[in-house]
Amino acid sequence: KIVNSLFIVLGMIASVAAVDTGRTWEEMLPCRDGKKLHTRVILPRDDVEGKYTTVVDRSPYGYTDLEWIADLFLPSGFATVGQDFRGTQTSEGLFSIWHMDGNDSEDLGNWIVEQPWSNGEIFTFGASADGLGAFTTTGQDPDWL
């Protein structure tokens, strides 16, 4: 059963692997304390003037391969935003086991909802450290979550 499930999951991943990853750019976004965090944005390609619900995944593992997340969500019309945790990869600051993560998540969300491509709706996504980071966002109780 486990092997069959693995093949089903691999098949699902392979079926979306060829998805066009859309319009992509990277920024160093400033946080409330002035530290800048490496952020990558991918928008659906087909609707240049659209406004999108955004899937956010913040991670200590790096965002050189955000495309797999985009492959899952772009076909359904979501924007995807990945951000390296403070003090990891190319983000500034000191990684301190999510000490500032709630504030950093809130700052990212506030930036997203101000963008012309955002419809103001955001949800967080992640497993492992990414999921724990997503959980810290709820402690800030932002309006956009």
Side-chain angles (χ1 to χ4, degrees), residues 101-103 105-106 124 132-142 144-145:
D101 200 56
N103 288 342
S105 295
E106 183 178 25
T124 58
L132 291 172
F135 183 73
T136 66
T137 307
T138 62
Q140 303 303 103
D141 197 26
W144 42 260
L145 186 62

Side-chain angles (χ1 to χ4, degrees), residues 50-142:
K51 291 189 177 284
Y52 311 102
T53 297
T54 304
V55 177
V56 171
D57 184 13
R58 300 185 67 253
S59 178
Y61 306 121
Y63 271 95
T64 56
D65 293 323
L66 181 63
E67 284 78 14
W68 76 268
I69 296 171
D71 286 347
L72 293 174
F73 294 104
L74 283 179
S76 298
F78 292 98
T80 58
V81 174
Q83 186 176 67
D84 294 330
F85 281 178
R86 171 184 296 259
T88 66
Q89 308 304 318
T90 58
S91 287
E92 298 176 352
L94 177 65
F95 181 64
S96 59
I97 316 296
W98 302 283
H99 176 70
M100 293 291 295
D101 200 56
N103 288 342
D104 294 346
S105 295
E106 183 178 25
D107 293 345
L108 174 60
N110 290 342
W111 176 82
I112 290 170
V113 299
E114 293 173 359
Q115 301 310 301
W117 45 264
S118 173
N119 69 6
E121 297 177 358
I122 300 171
F123 72 89
T124 58
F125 170 84
S128 186
D130 301 17
L132 291 172
F135 183 73
T136 66
T137 307
T138 62
Q140 303 303 103
D141 197 26

